[in-house]
Amino acid sequence: SLIHPGHAVYLDAGSTLMTVANHINNDRYTIVTSGANIAIELSQRHTCDVLLTGGQISENTLSCSGAQAELFISSINIDLALMSPSGFSLRNGFTSGSQSESMLKRAVIAKAAKVVMLMDTSKLGRSLPFTFATLADIDMLICDSPLPADVAAEVKAHGIDFIIAES
């Protein structure tokens, strides 16, 4: 329901965003993604304009990143960015195991009018080497279950909308 026809929407790479891609209505959108598998899936829909960032493809995540991807992101406007971390901790924020993917995620967040982080609670308390965002950088957090009290308090203190996704 956050995705509106006519908007430019960025879908981060990864399994969480592939699930989102499979549930997007067949309306007219411009979808930008770093996920090669997401681009292929959405390109099968004739009503979606799909843009792949380009760059080096990760064999683990099928995501494209690097200088070419960052340059591409700098040239477009993003109404809504749907992002997903590999880990989150109150100390280190939203993290990734890849420096180049983290740099791309930062570039996307800087360009987006609205940033929504989608995260299953298995990512809580997990910290990887590269921080790409903090709670101050996002507008909404969507999780699969309630947050621990300390995290929920910080989310509330930052004025972030919190939603528990329906399974």
Side-chain angles (χ1 to χ4, degrees):
S1 65
L2 297 172
I3 301 172
H4 302 290
H7 277 183
V9 179
Y10 180 85
L11 297 181
D12 202 1
S15 59
T16 300
L17 276 300
M18 178 56 104
T19 300
V20 170
N22 287 325
H23 288 90
I24 292 176
N25 293 334
N26 252 350
D27 289 321
R28 187 66 144 152
Y29 310 103
T30 298
I31 302 291
V32 182
T33 185
S34 60
N37 56 339
I38 293 171
I40 292 167
E41 173 69 26
L42 290 176
S43 69
Q44 305 304 312
R45 300 181 190 185
H46 299 290
T47 56
C48 269
D49 291 329
V50 181
L51 305 171
L52 184 61
T53 61
Q56 185 173 358
I57 296 179
S58 165
E59 68 226 23
N60 295 330
T61 62
L62 297 177
S63 67
C64 300
S65 61
Q68 180 181 353
E70 290 175 54
L71 182 62
F72 176 77
I73 290 299
S74 73
S75 72
I76 62 170
N77 299 312
I78 301 169
D79 295 303
L80 174 67
L82 299 175
M83 309 298 292
S84 185
S86 297
F88 173 78
S89 70
L90 287 176
R91 178 178 178 177
N92 295 319
F94 298 99
T95 60
S96 168
S98 166
Q99 183 178 26
S100 64
E101 288 180 28
S102 285
M103 291 173 69
L104 177 61
K105 289 173 187 272
R106 279 189 217 134
V108 168
I109 289 168
K111 289 289 291 196
K114 182 173 186 171
V115 178
V116 176
M117 194 68 67
L118 293 96
M119 176 177 74
D120 66 76
T121 50
S122 72
K123 307 293 194 303
L124 290 169
R126 186 172 181 213
S127 183
L128 283 86
F130 304 101
T131 297
F132 66 87
T134 66
L135 289 173
D137 298 316
I138 70 169
D139 301 296
M140 179 179 285
L141 178 61
I142 300 175
C143 288
D144 59 341
S145 59
L147 298 171
D150 59 339
V151 176
E154 284 297 314
V155 166
K156 185 176 181 179
H158 280 85
I160 298 167
D161 293 326
F162 176 69
I163 295 174
I164 298 173
E166 297 176 17
S167 55

